[in-house]
Amino acid sequence: MEDKAMGENETKDSMDVSPEPSNSQDNVEDCEMNGAKENVSCTCDCGGSSSKCAYVTADDITNQTFETSDAAYNLYVSYARCIGFGVRKGDAARGKDGTLCRRRFFCNKEGKRHEKFISNPDRKREHKALTRTGCEAMLSVYFDTKSSIWRVRRLVEEHNHDLVPQCLVHLIPNHRGMTEAQKAQANAMHDNGLPTSKIMGLMVGQAGGYANIRFTKKDLDNHIGRSRHAKLLGGNANATISYLLGKVDVDPMAMAKYSPTSQNRLANLFWADGISRADYQCFGDVLAFDTTYKKNKYKKPLVIFSGSNHHCQTCIFGFALVEDEKTATYTWLLENFMEVMLNKSPNVVITDGDEAMKAAICKVFPNATHRLCGWHIQQNVTAKTKNKSFAEDFRKCLYVPWHPDEFEDFWVTMLQQYGLEENVWVHQEYEKRKSWACAYLRDKFCAGFRTTSRCEGINNFIKRFVHQRRSLLEFVQGLEHAVRDYRHNELVSQFKSVYGEPVLTTGLKSLELCAANYYTREILAKVKEEILGVVGFDIVDEENISTLIVLMVKECEGRQREYRVVYDLNTMNMECVCSRWSSEGYPCSHMFYAMKRLGLQKLPESLLLKRWSKDAKKYSDKTLVGSTVHDMERAFLMRYVALSVATAWMVFLGAQNGPSFHDTINEVYRLTNALEQKSGLKKQATKSPAQNLVDDPLVVKTKGAPKGRKERGKRKCTECNNAGHSKRNCRARNDKNIPSEGDGSGL
């Protein structure tokens, strides 16, 4: 039975490939353009043993039998790669029982493009290059029912076109494709923020050149695009919510809250993992949050809740995407934040002074002190008064820890000096002085926060992990990578603080050693500065009142201020009028001078703030005492983070080598089984979240003036001041330069 020729029309899935720039590693210079039929030795690591690299001849095909038709197709593709052409699957014939009995595979240049696609007068796009020449090269195989194998019926070797040289064969679409290992590697690098251009460059370098990698950047872009779309089944918002709710399988303490709009679109979304919730229980006494735009595809404002850990590093408590910046939205956000954080309210909240934020904070955190960002206030001073000298004096009001009476005296003198007694904006800021002046915040512990600069630092840091054009799911995963880096920095700082002996450099070695054993390295550096400042003070008066010892400490230089330090012999409690310990959490120089005077060899227990200690995350049964549901959940969170910190070093040691890993993992399994039997709990797979929760949000209109080119007036000539031309082609200027007749100059 003779084989029927295929149709003349060219399929639409063919594409033209522009060759990539050649590399010296591709051995292009050693490839003869007319030697496509010559044998080519393998240049990869397989040494020619792979079926893709072994040289296949026509005799290898005609003398071969196959178990399946796909095996015949794969061998013909290998043959085509060695010769220099591409292959596409042709027609197939089936028997009466419906099983395949014949298959044909053609050269990719078989057939010709139909005339109607060439002579179409309404076509707007540029024609693609013709890739069909009517080539009759083919392979036909049939199924032998007697032996139940596939045999070769016909092999046509002659081509009516030039074959592709070996240095360009890897660009033929039929011979391009990514392996599963390459796909997994590309997905891993893309998930960690690498763009496809850098992924392509890295994989080309690993393979030894473009010829060995066997796919192009377009193929890589297509694979990344397909992977991204596969993750967003059901919609962008649904995929994100399902991902956050599904994290409970890995992190049982992770939580997410969301609210829809009246059109059932995603309005607000808040999420926090277990470590963030536990960190808030340790360091949630001071909370800072701010909003930023243009970090996601829908331009929804991103709210980042952050604080300061025991290493004076940024600690992230959670993220939120909100619909707008109205009071109702912030109220919903803070109420859900309180619910997730087990109703623990912060003592101090730092914001940039947004009125909607302020109203929501007063409603949800009624007992918290709202501190305004000093940097934003400084910017407003410069913009409102246009006076640099006044701005410098105003900065003193912001940051100098005066007594409130000293602040009031300086304020009155400053307004009289600059004549701003009637300035409305100045009076408005004065009414809010208790929210920004250090004189009124000196007894409030702010953990080093005076501005929202840390929030701005977070916004700048996450630029490496998020992109405006990416989906919400990729946006959430990028933020997780940013948090991972912050936590790694904390782990490194904890390692440096715990493993290493301190070097004593001050004169009060006993007190310095006590501080070095208790505080982290970052706080110890600040404490040592206070100890070194002892030399600048002297005792003025000392008085004993019952069990109290009152010391008057005076500065030896400068303004020679006097500070009152009180020490209780019974409670071993020490207080200073400067309120440094209340605001910073560690003793001041006046206290250290009093300790030196009294001969104390260690720091009083009342002056040791646990949040600055090396064991700030260490849990003890005395940490939380209460019988309410939130108290028990809070205690569970504290134990959770304590175990997480304690096992981090064990995990690091267990991963050093193979034997240590197996010993560690076996011990973990043994202990896990023992705890399951003791508690009666079993790990259960969580139910998959319901599909079609909410629809994707709309793009939010951001604050500020819309971007666009400003209307510019017509350019005017600087010579004649007329529009429509410049000085170079000004006619009036040229007329002036034309010499008059008889002046002796030639044109």
Side-chain angles (χ1 to χ4, degrees):
M1 172 175 144
E2 292 295 327
D3 298 322
K4 296 182 180 180
M6 291 295 295
E8 299 294 325
N9 294 343
E10 181 178 0
T11 58
K12 296 182 180 179
D13 57 351
S14 64
M15 65 177 180
D16 299 327
V17 180
S18 58
E20 301 281 349
S22 59
N23 191 290
S24 60
Q25 297 176 347
D26 298 338
N27 299 323
V28 177
E29 63 276 6
D30 297 332
C31 179
E32 297 292 339
M33 298 299 292
N34 296 325
K37 294 185 179 181
E38 296 181 2
N39 196 344
V40 179
S41 60
C42 175
T43 58
C44 65
D45 296 335
C46 73
S49 60
S50 174
S51 60
K52 293 183 179 181
C53 298
Y55 189 78
V56 182
T57 62
D59 294 337
D60 295 333
I61 297 179
T62 55
N63 299 328
Q64 184 75 16
T65 59
F66 313 97
E67 294 182 1
T68 62
S69 60
D70 291 336
Y73 171 76
N74 293 333
L75 183 61
Y76 192 52
V77 169
S78 300
Y79 167 76
R81 180 177 178 84
C82 297
I83 299 301
F85 67 95
V87 179
R88 61 185 180 89
K89 294 181 180 179
D91 60 345
R94 295 182 180 272
K96 295 181 179 180
D97 56 354
T99 58
L100 286 174
C101 61
R102 178 179 58 80
R103 291 293 304 272
R104 293 198 299 178
F105 311 110
F106 296 96
C107 171
N108 63 344
K109 291 184 177 293
E110 186 271 342
K112 291 185 178 181
R113 186 176 299 178
H114 201 283
E115 184 64 26
K116 68 178 182 179
F117 296 108
I118 301 177
S119 59
N120 184 9
D122 298 330
R123 184 181 180 90
K124 296 182 179 180
R125 293 185 179 181
E126 184 70 22
H127 285 281
K128 292 183 179 180
L130 294 175
T131 57
R132 300 294 183 91
T133 62
C135 181
E136 298 181 355
M138 58 164 291
L139 170 66
S140 177
V141 294
Y142 71 96
F143 183 70
D144 189 351
T145 56
K146 295 182 179 180
S147 57
S148 298
I149 58 175
W150 289 81
R151 298 182 183 276
V152 177
R153 168 173 292 172
R154 184 183 179 190
L155 175 64
V156 179
E157 302 182 51
E158 291 77 15
H159 296 264
N160 65 351
H161 57 87
D162 294 333
L163 299 178
V164 179
Q166 285 297 315
C167 59
L168 301 177
V169 168
H170 66 283
L171 297 177
I172 299 177
N174 185 242
H175 300 308
R176 300 200 320 254
M178 299 180 65
T179 63
E180 294 300 324
Q182 290 171 336
K183 292 179 181 179
Q185 184 182 10
N187 291 336
M189 289 189 288
H190 181 264
D191 292 341
N192 284 274
L194 266 71
T196 53
S197 58
K198 292 186 178 180
I199 296 175
M200 187 68 185
L202 178 61
M203 300 184 75
V204 167
Q206 291 176 341
Y210 283 95
N212 298 329
I213 202 170
R214 295 184 178 177
F215 63 87
T216 63
K217 185 178 180 297
K218 184 62 177 178
D219 299 328
L220 178 61
D221 291 334
N222 292 338
H223 167 70
I224 296 296
R226 287 191 296 268
S227 300
R228 292 177 60 188
H229 288 295
K231 296 178 181 178
L232 301 179
L233 295 178
N236 201 345
N238 284 334
T240 304
I241 295 174
S242 300
Y243 171 78
L244 292 174
L245 297 180
K247 286 187 64 179
V248 179
D249 290 337
V250 180
D251 184 3
M253 304 307 300
M255 293 188 69
K257 301 285 185 179
Y258 69 94
S259 66
T261 62
S262 57
Q263 293 82 19
N264 198 34
R265 295 184 179 274
L266 179 63
N268 306 305
L269 176 64
F270 169 75
W271 71 95
D273 60 8
I275 297 180
S276 294
R277 296 179 63 198
D279 285 343
Y280 181 79
Q281 303 303 321
C282 299
F283 312 114
D285 47 358
V286 180
L287 176 66
F289 67 94
D290 193 12
T291 57
T292 181
Y293 284 94
K294 299 181 181 178
K295 299 293 184 184
N296 54 82
K297 181 179 180 180
Y298 301 99
K299 298 183 180 179
K300 296 179 75 67
L302 171 65
V303 182
I304 304 176
F305 295 92
S306 61
S308 178
N309 61 14
H310 52 317
H311 298 285
C312 291
Q313 296 173 336
T314 299
C315 181
I316 296 179
F317 302 137
F319 297 97
L321 288 172
V322 295
E323 183 180 14
D324 50 44
E325 294 188 87
K326 298 180 180 179
T327 302
T329 302
Y330 282 125
T331 302
W332 177 92
L333 177 59
L334 296 182
E335 288 176 349
N336 282 271
F337 178 83
M338 283 283 287
E339 181 182 352
V340 171
M341 300 304 173
L342 305 177
N343 286 342
K344 178 181 177 180
S345 176
N347 298 327
V348 177
V349 181
I350 296 97
T351 68
D352 58 1
D354 184 81
E355 293 298 330
M357 282 187 186
K358 184 178 180 180
I361 290 171
C362 293
K363 181 178 180 180
V364 183
F365 304 143
N367 299 324
T369 300
H370 185 197
R371 180 164 188 169
L372 301 179
C373 172
W375 183 85
H376 285 86
I377 295 178
Q378 280 186 262
Q379 297 299 111
N380 291 335
V381 171
T382 305
K384 297 292 183 179
T385 63
K386 310 295 183 182
N387 192 325
K388 293 184 178 180
S389 300
F390 175 76
E392 293 177 0
D393 288 342
F394 193 95
R395 190 175 187 277
K396 297 179 182 178
C397 298
L398 271 172
Y399 300 123
V400 177
W402 287 322
H403 189 273
D405 295 338
E406 294 178 308
F407 172 85
E408 297 294 340
D409 295 339
F410 184 85
W411 182 267
V412 173
T413 304
M414 180 179 64
L415 295 188
Q416 293 176 354
Q417 178 182 354
Y418 296 101
L420 298 174
E421 294 91 346
E422 304 299 330
N423 190 289
V424 177
W425 180 85
V426 172
H427 282 283
Q428 290 176 352
E429 293 301 309
Y430 177 77
E431 295 298 328
K432 298 183 294 184
R433 64 191 182 281
K434 294 184 179 180
S435 298
W436 52 263
C438 283
Y440 292 95
L441 298 170
R442 55 189 298 187
D443 59 340
K444 304 295 182 182
F445 178 75
C446 298
F449 277 94
R450 295 190 298 182
T451 66
T452 57
S453 58
R454 291 200 181 192
C455 299
E456 303 297 337
I458 298 174
N459 296 336
N460 185 57
F461 179 74
I462 64 176
K463 289 180 181 179
R464 299 188 298 171
F465 303 92
V466 299
H467 196 277
Q468 184 177 353
R469 292 194 297 268
R470 292 189 177 180
S471 64
L472 285 181
L473 178 59
E474 293 174 322
F475 174 76
V476 171
Q477 293 173 342
L479 293 178
E480 290 179 350
H481 295 158
V483 173
R484 180 187 60 189
D485 283 11
Y486 276 110
R487 289 172 181 167
H488 175 71
N489 294 337
E490 178 184 342
L491 184 64
V492 172
S493 298
Q494 182 70 10
F495 173 80
K496 293 180 179 179
S497 297
V498 174
Y499 297 94
E501 295 295 331
V503 179
L504 306 180
T505 58
T506 65
L508 303 178
K509 292 187 177 182
S510 58
L511 295 176
E512 183 184 358
L513 180 61
C514 178
N517 293 331
Y518 185 80
Y519 292 114
T520 59
R521 176 176 291 191
E522 290 75 15
I523 300 300
L524 177 61
K526 298 181 179 181
V527 172
K528 291 176 70 172
E529 292 181 1
E530 299 295 332
I531 297 177
L532 293 174
V534 171
V535 298
F537 297 96
D538 194 6
I539 190 71
V540 176
D541 186 22
E542 180 177 349
E543 183 180 1
N544 296 333
I545 305 175
S546 182
T547 60
L548 300 179
I549 300 178
V550 181
L551 300 176
M552 297 300 296
V553 181
K554 182 180 180 181
E555 295 177 348
C556 297
E557 297 179 355
R559 303 182 65 178
Q560 297 185 354
R561 298 189 180 191
E562 294 184 1
Y563 300 91
R564 185 171 180 265
V565 182
V566 180
Y567 179 68
D568 192 335
L569 295 174
N570 289 340
T571 62
M572 299 183 66
N573 185 31
M574 182 175 290
E575 297 180 358
C576 180
V577 71
C578 73
S579 301
R580 172 63 65 86
W581 187 88
S582 299
S583 61
E584 301 295 338
Y586 51 85
C588 60
S589 301
H590 323 120
M591 288 183 174
F592 279 111
Y593 184 86
M595 295 178 201
K596 174 185 176 183
R597 177 80 175 184
L598 298 175
L600 300 182
Q601 298 300 313
K602 63 178 182 178
L603 298 176
E605 293 290 337
S606 60
L607 299 182
L608 299 176
L609 190 63
K610 185 179 179 181
R611 69 144 13 249
W612 291 139
S613 68
K614 300 175 183 178
D615 299 329
K617 291 187 175 182
K618 186 176 181 180
Y619 174 80
S620 63
D621 295 333
K622 298 180 181 179
T623 303
L624 294 171
V625 179
S627 58
T628 64
V629 176
H630 287 302
D631 290 336
M632 291 186 289
E633 291 183 359
R634 194 173 293 116
F636 172 77
L637 271 179
M638 297 292 290
R639 292 191 292 267
Y640 179 84
V641 71
L643 288 175
S644 300
V645 174
T647 55
W649 183 244
M650 178 195 69
V651 172
F652 176 78
L653 295 176
Q656 295 298 314
N657 50 61
S660 299
F661 168 77
H662 292 294
D663 294 341
T664 304
I665 198 68
N666 292 334
E667 190 65 21
V668 169
Y669 286 148
R670 184 195 66 78
L671 183 59
T672 302
N673 293 331
L675 291 174
E676 286 182 348
Q677 295 177 0
K678 184 177 180 180
S679 62
L681 300 176
K682 292 289 185 179
K683 183 177 180 181
Q684 299 179 354
T686 57
K687 297 181 180 180
S688 59
Q691 299 297 324
N692 300 325
L693 301 173
V694 291
D695 295 332
D696 293 343
L698 298 175
V699 178
V700 176
K701 184 179 180 181
T702 59
K703 284 184 176 181
K707 283 191 174 181
R709 294 185 178 181
K710 296 181 180 180
E711 294 185 2
R712 299 176 60 182
K714 293 184 177 180
R715 186 176 180 180
K716 294 184 178 181
C717 174
T718 58
E719 185 71 22
C720 64
N721 202 27
N722 292 327
H725 63 274
S726 62
K727 182 179 179 179
R728 293 182 178 179
N729 54 4
C730 179
R731 186 171 183 179
R733 178 174 179 268
N734 295 334
D735 292 342
K736 292 180 181 180
N737 295 332
I738 296 177
S740 59
E741 297 182 1
D743 61 354
S745 61
L747 293 177

